[in-house]
Structures are given as structure tokens and as C-alpha cells.
Amino acid sequence: MNADGICPRVNAQYLKPYTESVVRLIGRVTQVNGDTAILDAAGSVTVHSTRDLVFTEGQIFEITGRVNADLSVKALDGINHGSDGNMDNVNKMVELVQRHKAFYYNI
Amino acid sequence: MSNYNSYDGNSYGGYGGGDTGGGYMTNSYGGGDTNGDVKYSSQGGADRTIPEGKTRLRPVTMKQIIDATKTHDDAPFIIDGVEVINVSVVGIVRNVTHATTTSTYRVEDSTGMCDARKINRPDEQDFDRSESFPRVGDYVRIIGEISNFNDKRYIALRHMRPITGLDEVTFSVLEPLLVHLQTVVPSSLYSTADVAKSNSSALFTTSYETESLTPLQRRIFDALKTAEEQDMNEGAHIGVIADRIGASRNSVMAACEELTDLGLAYTTVDFEHFKLIM
């Protein structure tokens, strides 16, 4: 994350414009392969873990990370929200944030 | 103005006072003795009169806190053309600094980062006296007062509590947007009645439509918003609108009908006079 704390909220549908930027992503872990996990966030996103971030299948994580050229995300930080929570609402929220980008972000 | 002085006295006095629970509610800035209303230019474009003395707790983003303006040093902060003193903001704690007299929590909500500072009082049981909260990485809701210290924006922290569960995170991202839209666009579009009778997606459909207007609809919308005819019962005639924005009468007529279909305008005395719904 930058010192100003700006990391736009995205899901799989909005990754492309943020290549090389730091974003905030909420998704449910569908698969764990070593230090890489696949998250469902309105589509699949491959997330490369940090050392102290342990992914568990079925749990929802909020990732702050950098978007790679292949649209995978290198996690810098992650918060485990547990398995409860409505991902449909999260994706609706991301859509609204993206539609009102100027309200949320100075970018 | 004497009110601004009383604002300083009350708010900071209340902060150090004993009653932390209700401290932010007792602020009497503005009081009832103002000699009139103050005009602010809102982000919505048109000037609008905001009555003073409306103290409320407003949900905001860090970006709104950082971007808040002041007309002069002693004046309250302004967000969307409205005075804001007490704010509620949700974010992740990124840094914690404990000093003898203050605790500082650097909190980030993806839109920006800001310090929340609390004065420690050794004789009081406080929300942050436990070892386990708040720590770096915690999701928290902060309630406090927007302040400046040494030209740096911070939140004078009154209360902080943990956020539990994803759904509250989702809600807390959208809450400031809803209040922002209720503040800057015609109230009828985002009234509480709408919230009650529609689900969240339908609620925001209207905003999609105001944002996805065609260029011509947008020009008409903007022209009508500031038009003096907006204050009259009959509204503006399409011929007048057409002249003003330099478009043909037929295209303006069609666009006005589309604005009506979108629920943004309505016809008045006949089908050629339009007014925006405010």
C-alpha cells in the first residue's frame, strides 16, 4: 500500500486497469496450492500469499495486494473474515465503488 | 462570530470531560441563537442554504475527511457543502503508537489514511485498555471529531470498536456514499422512504441513471439545475432551454421526456414546460 493508503476496491472483473497498482480485493478461497490460492471474487483470481498469511478453503479473505501483469495478485496483507458473509453484496458493493470512483479515490 | 468561539469551548471541553459516552452528542455548536442561515456552495452545483446548528454523526470515508475544507480557522469543517463535526469511519488499523498522554491509531479504509488520536486519562476505564484491542490489522469503527493539528488532519478519537463480520464491512463502504448522494443530489431520489421500499440495488439504480445521462441530457440537467425558472411553478419552456444550451427544440423535447422517464424531471403547466425534481 502507498503511504496515502489508497488501494481501490476491485474484484476479478475490474483487475485489468489496475495492473501494477495496489488494490483491495475480497473473495472466497476456492483452492489452495502451497503459497498460492484461488479466490472467487466475481470470477477467479490467483493470489500469491505472504509468509504470514494462511489461506483456508471456504473462508473469505480481504486482500491488499499488487496486481501483476497476468492479473494475479501479490498479497501484501490479508484479513480473514471467516466463512460467513454475503459475497453477492460484496460484489455489488465493488460495482458501486467502481461506478462512483471519483467519490472514493483521488486517482 | 460568537458561535465559533462557543464551538471551540464546547467541543474540546467536552472531549476532556468525564462523560465520554455522550460527549459528542452534547456539542452545542450553532445553538439556536444564530441570526440566520449560512450559504455554502454544495458539490451538487447549486447554492443551497444549510441551517446552522445541525449537529449529527456523519458516516464518511477517509478521503472525505482529508478533503474536508474550512472557510477559516475557527469554522467547522465542510463536506458536500454541509458542516460536519462528528464523523464515523470504518477502516483497518495500520499503526499504533502509545505515548504517555496520547494514543495514536493510523487507520486506512482503502480511500485514504488518517491518524485517530486519543488523549489518555489514567483515571478512566477506556475502550483501548485491553491488550488485545485495538491492534494492527484490526477492522474498526471510529467515532470522533475531524480536527487539525499542526496543519495535519486527524480524528480526535472518542470511541473505537471492532468490526465483526464481512457484512458490516460491505455496509460501511456504501454508507458514506449513500449519505453523500442524499446530500448532493435532489433529496427525493434518495429519501429514506426509497431505502425502505427498495432493495439496495434498486436504490442505487437512480444514481446510475444520473451518471449515465447522454451528453445532451446532462447539459439540460445542468442547465435546469441552475436555471432561475427552477424557482417558478411553471419551470422552463423547452424553447428557452434549447436557446440556452444551443440545441434544437426537437432534440431538447426528446431529451426532456427521457429525463422525465428517468424520474429526474417532470412536466408542469403543459408538455413543453419542464422542471427538475428537487
Side-chain angles (χ1 to χ4, degrees), chain B residues 67 98 111 156 177 247 267:
Chain B
D67 292 348
H98 289 296
T111 74
L177 175 65
T267 56

Side-chain angles (χ1 to χ4, degrees), chain A residues 7 24 62 86 99 104-105, chain B residues 108 110 139 167 173 208:
Chain A
C7 46
R24 183 69 54 81
E62 181 161 352
N86 188 324
R99 278 182 197 258
Y104 285 100
Y105 304 112
Chain B
E108 162 268 326
S110 96
Y139 236 113
D167 294 336
V173 173
Y208 291 175

